[in-house]
Amino acid sequence: MANTIEVINPVHNPNQIKIGDRTVAFMQSQTKLDEDSKDIIIEEAIKILSHCTIPGRKGHITNIAVGYVQSGKTLSFTTLTALAADNGYRMVIYLTGTKNNLQSQTSERLRNDLKTDEGDDYIIVDTNESIFAVDDIYNILETGPEVLLFPILKHHLHINRLADIFSAPTLVTKVKQCGVLIIDDEADQSSFNTYARKNASKPEWEEDDFSRTYSSILNLKKSLPSHSYIQYTATPQAAFLIDSNDILSPTYHTVLTPGKGYTGGKFFFKNQDLQLISIIPDTEVYHYKENPLTSVPDSLSRALQEFLISVAIVVLIQKREKYLSMMIHVDGRCDTNIKFATWAQCTKQNWINALGGPADDFGTQIVRDSFKPAYNSITKYMTDIPSFDEVMGTLIRAMVRTKVHLVQSKGGTVAEQGISWESEKGHILVGADMLNRGFTIEHLSMSYMPRTTKGKSNADTIEQRCRFFGYKLNYIDICRVYLSTKSLIEYNDYVDHEENLRAKLNQYESLAEFSKHSNAMLLADTLNPTRSNILSSKLVRSKLSGWKQMISLDCYQENKQRIHDLLKSMDGKFKNCPDYDGNIIRNHRFAYVQVDEFIDFFKHISYGDVPNITRRNITIQYLIHLRDSMNIKYVRLYEISYQAKKLDDLR
């Protein structure tokens, strides 16, 4: 597998980026935004684009946009798409997520927001459908003004298929001339090499296992001589902690501003006016081995009652919203999801049956009275409160018009196209991974989340489960979140970390400056920053011993010039190695080079395969360690058999 040349070309001057017809048209379509909000979104899109490779210039760059969970990152990269189209970029690729529902969600939003079916500005290309994709792409790039949009699944088969299309002989020359953006939505999920720790004890990188998505992204980058790779995420810990020389490590960053009315971590966990968090007792925190509950826990019953009363009041009586949603997120096991979905459905049906009995029936009265605490709780912050009797008069209809969805790949009830939100008054979604990062649960008001870990949780993982963040001020009075005590502590600590991180990022232009001056990646002892399998360890002992020839035929000319420039700068500094016994093949020479000078040189030596890329990065990482911890100032550089051929030929 080959990689693009690792040269960062001059980026845009922000003042030269124009706001053209496509950007203006898109902003005008966002009728819910005020002018100040539109200005901020455009300003941040200009900043991102100013750090991108100029269309047609050979090279690539990686940047990152950091937002909040559920804060409008899709709006940001759609604005960036329109702005890129106004500034000469012809193709935008979206790595939409690892689940089909995320790809469908992103494709639909692009189709609606950019009006791809109505004009001549954009074409969404489905590379899965057409066997003539190469011809279709070539014809548009050659003759039309349209910008090609490629929303694809973040899966190695889909990414490699697109890389193969761009590598087709018909397209190679045309692609070189194009400005291309690769937008990696939820970039910290699946994109990085997740086998770094596993590989650490293997003696050779050729034996390593490189995660297939990571390898396919490198393959895609190799197929695009001029491109910019933009990571979008609310949890950038992984991107900041991987080695700075990794191809997916960002150079520049942009902190995205949430829109007005956003309710995020600070609102839910640091709010002194609204107490929106309820605690799930430890005895009711489900674990399939250690606490396999055999009946519906009281906290789940209470959450269901509060949610159904919310539907009755907000949707049926007050008509503030067309529908509301509830999320039940327990663990990643299919059998667990089925159990909780069954509990939710059966509990709801039992209440329907009981409340449908005669008003003077003792059993009916007991069930009716059981809803009073939920009614009192859910109306605590409400104005114009309907009476308990009025609510109970509509509650059966609210329950009948509330549907339980099992959201998982095996045996789930949610079709590929997603949920028809407006078809019901209430939705109860039960699932795990498919309800994680990237997936938007419309009008989510109730979250029941007993999922936790015995040890430290990963900060980025738990944060991405916060589907309850978003723009909810219209019904924030009935929003509730049920968590374990451990999770509540972790989320409070994460909010402190997140706000500190964003403040520090805003102080520096590049991540190099941020890394040099900031300690914002520090976390409370309750959390790990990210999953450990992307972080390397035990590399020096196992892999940085002995000699290794590192050949790069893919990048031969570029590397030859860099080596020539280095040797020329060292004229007069070399010393011959003694005792070569007249054998010119053994006639070597060496010179001392400052560590920083050599690191700068080695960073720009390009390799066309993952093992050598990794070997180079880890070597640099170790040299930095030696420089900083052991005060090593020089490396000894050898030129092997320097007289075996004419010097110019060697160089």
Side-chain angles (χ1 to χ4, degrees):
M1 179 187 303
N3 172 43
T4 46
I5 305 305
E6 294 181 69
V7 178
I8 297 175
N9 286 296
V11 293
H12 291 279
N13 180 338
N15 296 326
Q16 295 177 346
I17 294 176
K18 66 177 183 179
I19 301 172
D21 293 341
R22 301 187 202 197
T23 306
V24 171
F26 173 63
M27 281 290 107
Q28 288 177 343
S29 71
Q30 302 303 301
T31 56
K32 293 183 179 180
L33 297 177
D34 59 31
E35 293 305 313
D36 289 341
S37 298
K38 292 178 181 179
D39 289 344
I40 291 172
I41 293 168
I42 292 176
E43 180 182 334
E44 291 172 350
I46 290 174
K47 182 178 180 181
I48 295 170
L49 196 64
S50 73
H51 293 149
C52 292
T53 305
I54 296 173
R57 296 280 186 89
K58 188 177 183 180
H60 71 86
I61 192 168
T62 297
N63 300 315
I64 191 169
V66 181
Y68 285 115
V69 170
Q70 297 288 92
S71 65
K73 295 185 293 298
T74 303
L75 177 62
S76 172
F77 68 65
T78 307
T79 306
L80 178 63
T81 299
L83 190 67
D86 284 334
N87 286 273
Y89 292 82
R90 293 300 308 279
M91 296 194 295
V92 183
I93 300 161
Y94 309 87
L95 306 182
T96 61
T98 61
K99 306 296 181 184
N100 287 326
N101 59 343
L102 298 183
Q103 184 190 15
S104 300
Q105 179 178 273
T106 301
S107 297
E108 188 63 23
R109 287 179 178 176
L110 290 172
R111 186 171 285 105
N112 292 336
D113 290 346
L114 296 178
K115 309 292 190 268
T116 59
D117 297 333
E118 301 176 15
D120 297 326
D121 289 333
Y122 310 95
I123 294 177
I124 293 182
V125 181
D126 188 344
T127 56
N128 298 320
E129 289 186 355
S130 176
I131 61 173
F132 306 111
V134 171
D135 291 339
D136 294 340
I137 294 169
Y138 177 85
N139 291 336
I140 292 296
L141 293 178
E142 181 68 18
T143 65
E146 296 91 349
V147 174
L148 299 178
L149 312 180
F150 300 84
I152 65 172
L153 203 64
K154 195 188 295 187
H155 184 281
H156 66 98
L157 293 178
H158 295 254
I159 299 172
N160 281 328
R161 181 188 298 123
L162 190 58
D164 291 342
I165 288 173
F166 292 144
S167 300
T170 308
L171 278 179
V172 167
T173 301
K174 182 58 62 178
V175 169
K176 286 181 180 178
Q177 303 166 1
C178 291
V180 183
L181 300 185
I182 303 174
I183 293 175
D184 190 346
D185 193 15
E186 304 298 345
D188 60 305
Q189 183 187 35
S190 300
S191 299
F192 302 118
N193 181 26
T194 55
Y195 293 143
R197 174 162 294 197
K198 173 184 174 183
N199 293 330
S201 60
K202 295 182 179 180
E204 285 294 337
W205 272 281
E206 281 81 356
E207 301 172 5
D208 282 356
D209 298 312
F210 293 94
S211 50
R212 290 180 296 184
T213 302
Y214 175 79
S215 297
S216 66
I217 290 174
L218 300 191
N219 198 24
L220 176 63
K221 288 167 64 64
K222 185 263 179 181
S223 71
L224 299 167
S226 173
H227 74 271
S228 301
Y229 182 82
I230 302 123
Q231 303 165 334
Y232 271 81
T233 184
T235 47
Q237 289 82 4
F240 293 166
L241 288 173
I242 62 174
D243 187 85
S244 60
N245 297 300
D246 191 290
I247 293 172
L248 299 190
S249 177
T251 301
Y252 294 103
H253 61 275
T254 301
V255 179
L256 303 179
T257 305
K260 296 177 181 178
Y262 176 71
T263 53
K266 288 189 296 184
F267 194 97
F268 277 91
F269 297 107
K270 302 295 183 180
N271 200 319
Q272 300 300 314
D273 298 322
L274 302 179
Q275 301 300 316
L276 305 179
I277 309 298
S278 296
I279 296 298
I280 302 173
D282 291 343
T283 56
E284 297 182 10
V285 174
Y286 179 88
H287 189 278
Y288 74 101
K289 284 185 178 180
E290 297 183 8
N291 194 28
L293 303 175
T294 57
S295 60
V296 181
D298 290 341
S299 55
L300 177 58
S301 293
R302 187 167 68 254
L304 287 168
Q305 287 183 326
E306 290 179 355
F307 173 67
L308 293 169
I309 286 176
S310 299
V311 174
I313 297 176
V314 173
V315 179
L316 296 179
I317 297 175
Q318 297 177 340
K319 301 186 185 303
R320 269 194 277 162
E321 299 292 332
K322 292 182 178 180
Y323 57 89
L324 293 174
S325 299
M326 175 179 183
M327 177 181 71
I328 300 175
H329 187 142
V330 185
D331 65 22
R333 295 171 58 88
C334 291
D335 56 346
T336 301
N337 294 330
I338 292 172
K339 173 184 283 192
F340 274 77
T342 302
W343 280 346
Q345 177 64 30
C346 291
T347 300
K348 178 171 72 81
Q349 188 60 48
N350 289 339
W351 286 334
I352 292 173
N353 295 339
L355 293 174
D360 58 353
D361 182 82
F362 182 68
T364 301
Q365 285 296 330
I366 290 177
V367 174
R368 177 185 172 88
D369 291 344
S370 73
F371 277 84
K372 284 185 178 178
Y375 167 83
N376 292 333
S377 174
I378 213 67
T379 58
K380 182 164 51 175
Y381 304 117
M382 195 179 293
T383 57
D384 299 324
I385 304 172
S387 68
F388 179 70
D389 288 340
E390 185 181 2
V391 173
M392 295 308 295
T394 61
L395 186 60
I396 289 181
R397 182 164 174 251
M399 290 192 284
V400 170
R401 294 300 306 277
T402 293
K403 186 174 182 179
V404 177
H405 305 275
L406 179 59
V407 187
Q408 61 184 25
S409 56
K410 294 182 180 180
T413 58
V414 177
E416 285 294 318
Q417 64 268 24
I419 295 172
S420 179
W421 296 104
E422 295 191 14
S423 64
E424 299 291 351
K425 305 302 181 183
H427 300 276
I428 299 174
L429 284 67
V430 185
D433 293 342
M434 291 181 70
L435 297 181
N436 265 348
R437 59 178 73 238
F439 184 68
T440 299
I441 303 176
E442 302 286 349
H443 298 193
L444 177 62
S445 65
M446 175 66 67
S447 299
Y448 185 83
M449 297 175 58
R451 187 171 187 173
T452 188
T453 60
K454 294 181 66 175
K456 287 185 181 182
S457 296
N458 294 329
D460 50 1
T461 300
I462 65 167
E463 180 70 358
Q464 287 291 353
R465 293 176 186 152
C466 293
R467 300 297 98 193
F468 49 90
F469 293 169
Y471 297 89
K472 303 179 182 298
L473 285 183
N474 190 48
Y475 57 94
I476 195 65
D477 52 340
I478 50 92
C479 288
R480 300 292 186 272
V481 181
Y482 279 75
L483 297 170
S484 68
T485 301
K486 179 176 181 293
S487 293
L488 178 59
I489 294 171
E490 291 171 342
Y491 279 120
N492 271 288
D493 288 341
Y494 184 87
V495 170
D496 293 336
H497 158 72
E498 181 177 49
E499 294 307 311
N500 183 38
L501 175 63
R502 288 173 61 89
K504 294 293 185 181
L505 285 171
N506 276 320
Q507 292 181 20
Y508 303 107
E509 178 69 14
S510 70
L511 283 171
E513 293 178 89
F514 166 79
S515 300
K516 186 182 299 183
H517 301 289
S518 175
N519 63 352
M521 286 303 296
L522 294 178
L523 277 166
D525 290 338
T526 57
L527 294 167
N528 291 317
T530 186
R531 56 204 184 280
S532 62
N533 57 0
I534 68 164
L535 306 176
S536 302
S537 66
K538 303 179 182 177
L539 292 166
V540 175
R541 183 180 69 246
S542 300
K543 296 193 174 186
L544 291 181
S545 60
W547 291 81
K548 182 63 185 179
Q549 190 174 22
M550 298 170 64
I551 300 174
S552 179
L553 297 178
D554 299 277
C555 311
Y556 171 76
Q557 291 297 333
E558 289 81 4
N559 290 340
K560 180 179 177 181
Q561 183 61 48
R562 292 190 181 101
I563 294 171
H564 179 275
D565 293 343
L566 177 69
L567 295 177
K568 185 176 180 181
S569 70
M570 295 172 59
D571 283 345
K573 298 180 181 179
F574 279 100
K575 298 180 181 179
N576 289 334
C577 296
D579 302 327
Y580 71 95
D581 297 329
N583 184 349
I584 199 169
I585 299 300
R586 296 180 57 191
N587 189 12
H588 317 314
R589 62 178 185 170
F590 68 92
Y592 289 98
V593 182
Q594 288 188 346
V595 168
D596 288 339
E597 183 180 351
F598 179 79
I599 288 173
D600 183 65
F601 158 75
F602 201 29
K603 277 183 178 179
H604 293 90
I605 294 296
S606 300
Y607 291 98
D609 60 287
V610 175
N612 274 329
I613 291 168
T614 307
R615 182 181 291 107
R616 179 206 56 196
N617 293 348
I618 299 304
T619 301
I620 292 172
Q621 183 180 351
Y622 185 52
L623 287 173
I624 293 172
H625 165 72
L626 293 176
R627 179 198 65 191
D628 295 342
S629 64
M630 301 179 65
N631 200 30
I632 300 296
K633 296 181 179 179
Y634 296 93
V635 299
R636 183 183 287 188
L637 178 71
Y638 286 87
E639 186 178 10
I640 305 299
S641 305
Y642 75 98
Q643 289 181 330
K645 294 176 66 177
K646 289 183 179 179
L647 196 57
D648 286 341
D649 291 338
L650 285 172
R651 299 172 188 172

